[in-house]
Amino acid sequence: MKRNQAQLYLNLAEVYATAGRRDDAVDALQTGLKFARRDIRLTIAMNKLTERRRPVLSFLGRRHPINRQLGILRHRTMRLFGQQF
């Protein structure tokens, strides 16, 4: 079994997700991304499993430029302070 074969991680994540073990599925995909970074299927599967945060300003749409900039700022701040918020 080769570590850089993305399909193996996709299959494992699917089995975990079907069994209701969502955290294990995310872990499998993160491991797959570590070894097979260029495979877009892993990124797509990860985006389907992980939840997005709510928009910073809920009365504006998610794609509104103000929300996007504030979201980027929130993400950088959370990463800087270790997601204490």
Side-chain angles (χ1 to χ4, degrees):
M1 180 166 89
K2 294 183 181 180
R3 288 184 178 182
N4 63 349
Q5 291 182 350
Q7 189 63 46
L8 299 173
Y9 298 104
L10 289 167
N11 292 344
L12 182 59
E14 184 178 347
V15 169
Y16 281 143
T18 303
R21 296 171 57 185
R22 185 181 181 139
D23 293 336
D24 291 329
V26 170
D27 289 341
L29 291 173
Q30 286 176 339
T31 304
L33 284 168
K34 189 183 334 177
F35 294 115
R37 290 186 179 130
R38 297 182 184 195
D39 198 310
I40 190 71
R41 297 175 297 168
L42 291 170
T43 305
I44 292 170
M46 180 67 91
N47 289 339
K48 288 181 182 178
L49 282 177
T50 56
E51 294 181 24
R52 296 176 76 177
R53 290 187 187 98
R54 295 184 57 174
V56 178
L57 303 175
S58 60
F59 57 88
L60 293 176
R62 182 176 293 281
R63 297 186 51 84
H64 194 279
I66 294 173
N67 252 345
R68 292 177 61 90
Q69 290 302 314
L70 288 174
I72 291 169
L73 182 63
R74 175 178 62 185
H75 177 74
R76 289 180 183 163
T77 304
M78 290 177 75
R79 188 173 45 180
L80 181 67
F81 293 111
Q83 296 188 3
Q84 296 175 359
F85 296 101

